[in-house]
Amino acid sequence: QKEVEQNSGPLSVPEGAIASLNCTYSDRGSQSFFWYRQYSGKSPELIMSIYSNGDKEDGRFTAQLNKASQYVSLLIRDSQPSDSATYLCAVNMRDSWGKLQFGAGTQVVVTP
Amino acid sequence: NAGVTQTPKFQVLKTGQSMTLQCAQDMNHNSMYWYRQDPGMGLRLIYYSASEGTTDKGEVPNGYNVSRLNKREFSLRLESAAPSQTSVYFCASSKTSGGNTGELFFGEGSRLTVL
């Protein structure tokens, strides 16, 4: 069983629509959660971090965290072709403090 | 404003050869990391260094060694390369270590092929 799981996709989203990405994790004691964006052939870059239950908004991105259900999600509103990328969920797990566990990533394709 | 710099960007090795991947950061970060990325596997931690003078194994350390030369530099060595080590390698750094560590800054990656 993978410790951080994501649907691999591709997730096809029409331009202007909302993209919804989900991530589940195994360690109930995990405290911090992150979303990275990775364009093809490039390195990952941090786009969102969330530490407490609820929603956190930053521009067109909203991260949602539910620790009781052990999932974290990312919403991308008004999706643009430039949002086409792979989105990596990362979790700081209690038993590997300071070492992020990454999911395999969800590929998002925004179609004009 | 270089951030995290990795060299080389591309390398082809024959089985059994050795090589060192170099990484340097200019952000005065304490923690540095080496990840490998394979298709469908996401990023897997090879080794990390919470601070100068310390190193720790990650998820996939076998076949690799690291050196934290100083606060800026963290190198990854393959002593006897194997085809299973064909991958894209990313170096990363972060300001702090511990529970809230998660804001990693990545280098551009090094694509290694072992024949």
Side-chain angles (χ1 to χ4, degrees):
Chain A
Q1 180 185 0
K2 293 183 179 178
E3 295 180 307
V4 179
E5 296 213 42
Q6 300 179 250
N7 291 326
S8 61
L11 177 65
S12 184
V13 180
E15 185 174 356
I18 296 175
S20 178
L21 291 75
N22 295 317
C23 170
T24 58
Y25 57 94
S26 60
D27 183 359
R28 185 173 290 276
S30 299
Q31 296 293 323
S32 49
F33 308 86
F34 308 87
W35 284 98
Y36 284 78
R37 177 177 63 198
Q38 186 175 25
Y39 292 114
S40 180
K42 302 296 185 182
S43 57
E45 58 177 331
L46 180 69
I47 55 172
M48 289 290 288
S49 59
I50 187 165
Y51 301 97
S52 55
N53 281 330
D55 295 359
K56 179 182 178 182
E57 188 174 316
D58 184 358
R60 296 185 296 108
F61 297 100
T62 299
Q64 300 174 316
L65 175 61
N66 184 325
K67 289 185 179 180
S69 299
Q70 295 175 240
Y71 83 79
V72 57
S73 62
L74 180 70
L75 300 178
I76 307 173
R77 291 184 302 280
D78 187 23
S79 295
Q80 302 297 310
S82 60
D83 295 324
S84 296
T86 296
Y87 291 80
L88 303 168
C89 174
V91 178
N92 235 331
M93 297 193 166
R94 175 182 49 188
D95 61 352
S96 59
W97 218 235
K99 306 179 211 177
L100 281 184
Q101 289 286 332
F102 282 85
T106 298
Q107 183 186 4
V108 173
V109 179
V110 180
T111 55
Chain B
N1 206 14
V4 179
T5 303
Q6 291 179 234
T7 56
K9 289 185 171 47
F10 300 94
Q11 184 72 48
V12 178
L13 291 177
K14 294 181 179 178
T15 297
Q17 288 185 319
S18 62
M19 76 159 297
T20 299
L21 298 175
Q22 307 284 357
C23 176
Q25 52 92 8
D26 62 2
M27 295 175 284
N28 200 34
H29 284 170
N30 291 317
S31 300
M32 297 186 72
Y33 310 79
W34 277 105
Y35 286 90
R36 60 178 288 175
Q37 188 173 37
D38 304 293
M41 300 290 290
L43 288 161
R44 292 183 293 169
L45 183 65
I46 305 171
Y47 271 94
Y48 91 113
S49 171
S51 61
E52 184 179 354
T54 68
T55 61
D56 197 4
K57 294 179 180 179
E59 182 183 356
V60 288
N62 291 343
Y64 305 95
N65 286 303
V66 291
S67 295
R68 183 74 182 267
L69 304 170
N70 47 55
K71 191 172 185 178
R72 291 187 63 249
E73 298 173 288
F74 189 39
S75 63
L76 179 71
R77 183 162 178 83
L78 287 70
E79 292 290 352
S80 179
S84 61
Q85 294 178 304
T86 294
S87 188
V88 179
Y89 291 85
F90 287 101
C91 178
S93 70
S94 67
K95 187 174 183 179
T96 60
S97 61
N100 286 335
T101 300
E103 186 172 351
L104 302 185
F105 294 83
F106 286 86
E108 293 184 338
S110 300
R111 186 174 296 275
L112 175 65
T113 300
V114 183
L115 302 176

